[in-house]
Amino acid sequence: GQQLNQSPQSMFIQEGEDVSMNCTSSSIFNTWLWYKQDPGEGPVLLIALYKAGELTSNGRLTAQFGITRKDSFLNISASIPSDVGIYFCAGLTGTASKLTFGTGTRLQVTL
Amino acid sequence: DAGVTQSPTHLIKTRGQQVTLRCSPKSGHDTVSWYQQALGQGPQFIFQYYEEEERQRGNFPDRFSGHQFPNYSSELNVNALLLGDSALYLCASSPTENTGELFFGEGSRLTVL
């Protein structure tokens, strides 16, 4: 099945650094979402974006819905050890309720 | 307030067998979706249930079927298991259809030998 392209695939950063990751698609989506998955857990919603160009923050997280509606990025500022995990972008079309997920970005934070 | 609960958490089956996975949605949610997550991949949509009917279906064969009960809980059935069916099966609930804001359970990890 289709998956959105995420980059980078994995990142190793030091505690306190800022992180940036993005997600691209060949298709247009009307909603973009970012989820985080910890080992042995299901994904947890971080941020939802509903309008092209929209910039939304949730604490140290900031995400943007690309103008073309084919991309999105997620920034994490001042990373901490609990930020470790796999970050997935997901897209939703207007009339369908099925999410199309990205391939994931694995984040490792070193002290 | 219990979140989404799934059972069993782990199970091992052999090729050709059948499996049933169960899901109870978060309190107040009436829509249940199922996703398959292969190792190292993002989740793939299988189908969604609302008002006890399958509303949307992803690109999965008829060997994958489901059911939703009047109390909104749901089952995923997979017949004639293949090695490639080994994956984490995630159930997600939402308070309505047509939303991407899903609450996921911890998943059922299926291994097919």
Side-chain angles (χ1 to χ4, degrees), chain A residues 17-106:
Chain A
E17 287 184 351
D18 296 343
V19 172
S20 184
M21 60 188 78
N22 63 39
C23 183
T24 60
S25 169
S26 57
S27 306
I28 288 173
F29 289 104
N30 293 324
T31 302
W32 281 91
L33 307 106
W34 286 90
Y35 282 82
K36 177 176 182 255
Q37 187 173 26
D38 292 331
E41 306 280 332
V44 174
L45 179 65
L46 299 174
I47 288 182
L49 302 151
Y50 297 101
K51 204 190 309 188
E54 179 182 356
L55 187 71
T56 298
S57 293
N58 178 9
R60 294 179 296 104
L61 308 180
T62 302
Q64 183 157 29
F65 190 145
I67 289 290
T68 65
R69 293 196 281 159
K70 291 183 177 181
D71 61 341
S72 177
F73 73 74
L74 175 70
N75 287 340
I76 305 173
S77 62
S79 58
I80 58 178
S82 63
D83 291 333
V84 167
I86 303 176
Y87 291 80
F88 289 101
C89 63
L92 185 70
T93 61
T95 56
S97 44
K98 64 172 190 176
L99 286 181
T100 300
F101 278 85
T103 48
T105 292
R106 181 181 296 272

Side-chain angles (χ1 to χ4, degrees), chain A residues 1-3 33 35 37 40-43 45 48 50 88 92 94-99 101-103, chain B residues 33 35 37 40-45 48 56-58 88 90 97-102 104-106:
Chain A
Q2 179 194 8
Q3 288 209 314
L33 307 106
Y35 282 82
Q37 187 173 26
E41 306 280 332
L45 179 65
Y50 297 101
F88 289 101
L92 185 70
T95 56
S97 44
K98 64 172 190 176
L99 286 181
F101 278 85
T103 48
Chain B
S33 302
Y35 286 78
Q37 187 176 23
Q41 301 290 318
Q44 297 268 355
F45 176 78
Q48 182 189 69
Q56 300 258 348
R57 188 177 183 93
L88 180 68
L90 294 162
E97 291 180 284
N98 297 326
T99 176
E101 297 189 25
L102 305 180
F104 283 87
E106 295 185 350

Side-chain angles (χ1 to χ4, degrees), chain B:
Chain B
D1 176 24
V4 178
T5 57
Q6 293 187 240
S7 63
T9 54
H10 294 83
L11 69 168
I12 300 173
K13 293 285 187 177
T14 56
R15 280 177 295 175
Q17 285 189 313
Q18 177 263 345
V19 68
T20 297
L21 308 177
R22 297 176 177 81
C23 172
S24 292
K26 182 177 168 63
S27 178
H29 289 187
D30 59 9
T31 303
V32 173
S33 302
W34 287 91
Y35 286 78
Q36 180 195 66
Q37 187 176 23
L39 204 60
Q41 301 290 318
Q44 297 268 355
F45 176 78
I46 303 175
F47 42 52
Q48 182 189 69
Y49 277 85
Y50 172 68
E51 291 188 338
E52 302 179 49
E53 288 186 5
E54 183 183 293
R55 297 292 183 146
Q56 300 258 348
R57 188 177 183 93
N59 189 25
F60 280 81
D62 292 344
R63 298 186 298 108
F64 289 77
S65 63
H67 190 77
Q68 186 178 35
F69 299 94
N71 66 353
Y72 309 124
S73 67
S74 177
E75 288 183 349
L76 165 66
N77 300 294
V78 186
N79 293 324
L81 285 167
L82 304 174
L83 295 179
D85 295 332
S86 295
L88 180 68
Y89 288 85
L90 294 162
C91 173
S93 72
S94 55
T96 180
E97 291 180 284
N98 297 326
T99 176
E101 297 189 25
L102 305 180
F103 290 78
F104 283 87
E106 295 185 350
S108 294
R109 183 161 297 282
L110 171 65
T111 301
V112 182
L113 302 177

